[in-house]
Amino acid sequence: MEIKRVGIYCRVSTKDQSVETQMLELRRYSGLRGWQITSEHSDEGWSGTKDVRPGLDAIMQMARQGEFDALLVWKQDRLARSLPHFFQVFNELKAVGIAFVSYKEGVNTADEDNPYSRFYMKMMASFAELEREMILERTQSGRQRVIDVFEQTGKIDTKSGVWFGRPRLAVDDVIQEYAERFRNGQVKLAEVAAAAGCSKPTACRRLKAFHKSPQTMGLFPDEAGVGI
């Protein structure tokens, strides 16, 4: 990929600093390589931990519109401090065919002959794969925890706020509908569970809870009547 046009992005964390030093250096660097500067954007007094910044948003919008071939920054951390945010920006640039150039690190993703750039790209790909695997592991762990809590208590895990399977309200509605018929021996526990779309132990727990509620006290002659 040949770079002809570049967009420059600079950032400093405090308002008593200036992006002018970075900007002058990047202009000089672009001139030495014959790159045309089509846009310059900066954020003064903005932390790199902030994902949303006026200057960054503007330069990324121009990247999406194909206004330049490469995004040039003074240093990688001027673009993003956190690795997840950097991946987000880096992958978005890659998706629209824009190269990433970091002056201080000597990275130019358009230069496939540069061994450091090749190493950098492989490192970024490895970090991205590691992040995906960690997210998947956390998701699976959280899902299993929700399922375990539900199977043990019949309750949603309010810490995660995630619900898998049939909604609790739907189960309770069916239990309420079948409670008196179950008490009278008109239906079996297995039939109640099948209608509610839950296991027999869960149906048993919900019938017991319904039996103990003040609104239905006395509906069942004794707790043993709710046994499996």
Side-chain angles (χ1 to χ4, degrees):
M1 174 184 175
E2 182 182 2
I3 297 176
K4 294 182 179 180
R5 305 166 302 155
V6 295
I8 292 178
Y9 174 74
C10 299
R11 180 187 64 80
V12 289
S13 300
T14 60
K15 290 188 178 295
D16 58 351
Q17 295 175 303
S18 172
V19 299
E20 194 58 27
T21 300
Q22 297 177 30
M23 197 68 76
L24 288 173
E25 194 69 19
L26 295 179
R27 288 170 185 161
R28 184 190 66 82
Y29 183 74
S30 299
L32 290 174
R33 281 153 183 75
W35 296 343
Q36 177 190 358
I37 300 172
T38 59
S39 59
E40 295 179 348
H41 289 277
S42 62
D43 287 305
E44 293 186 330
W46 285 82
S47 168
T49 60
K50 300 291 185 182
D51 293 0
V52 177
R53 289 169 247 147
L56 178 60
D57 293 346
I59 199 77
M60 290 303 294
Q61 181 60 34
M62 297 195 74
R64 297 182 195 103
Q65 295 171 354
E67 297 293 330
F68 45 80
D69 305 314
L71 176 61
L72 174 61
V73 298
W74 190 70
K75 196 176 180 182
Q76 177 184 315
D77 64 6
R78 299 300 88 193
L79 186 64
R81 282 281 188 185
S82 72
L83 199 56
H85 184 217
F86 177 75
F87 282 145
Q88 177 187 337
V89 176
F90 183 83
N91 289 332
E92 185 171 352
L93 291 172
K94 185 178 178 181
V96 295
I98 304 296
F100 171 71
V101 181
S102 177
Y103 169 67
K104 279 293 186 180
E105 283 96 358
V107 172
N108 180 351
T109 61
D111 184 4
E112 297 180 355
D113 295 328
N114 184 326
Y116 187 77
S117 292
R118 289 201 304 270
F119 170 75
Y120 185 85
M121 292 290 286
K122 290 179 181 178
M123 183 177 67
M124 288 297 102
S126 297
F127 275 126
E129 183 178 359
L130 175 62
E131 185 184 29
R132 285 194 298 270
E133 290 178 354
M134 291 176 66
I135 291 173
L136 179 61
E137 183 178 350
R138 289 195 298 268
T139 301
Q140 291 175 337
S141 177
R143 178 188 176 93
Q144 189 58 51
R145 182 164 61 85
V146 172
I147 292 173
D148 290 344
V149 170
F150 174 67
E151 287 298 324
Q152 293 171 13
T153 66
K155 297 179 180 179
I156 186 173
D157 180 359
T158 54
K159 290 184 179 179
S160 68
V162 179
W163 179 265
F164 297 96
R166 186 161 183 164
R168 172 69 172 275
L169 287 177
V171 173
D172 284 349
D173 287 345
V174 175
I175 294 297
Q176 182 177 356
E177 180 184 345
Y178 277 78
E180 187 171 358
R181 294 167 61 189
F182 177 78
R183 183 201 65 173
N184 295 332
Q186 296 175 319
V187 294
K188 297 181 179 179
L189 182 63
E191 294 175 291
V192 178
C198 63
S199 65
K200 288 170 62 177
T202 297
C204 180
R205 284 194 298 270
R206 299 312 307 143
L207 284 165
K208 286 181 179 180
F210 190 72
H211 163 51
K212 292 177 181 178
S213 67
Q215 294 86 349
T216 58
M217 192 66 71
L219 178 62
F220 297 102
D222 55 60
E223 192 165 311
V226 193
I228 297 177

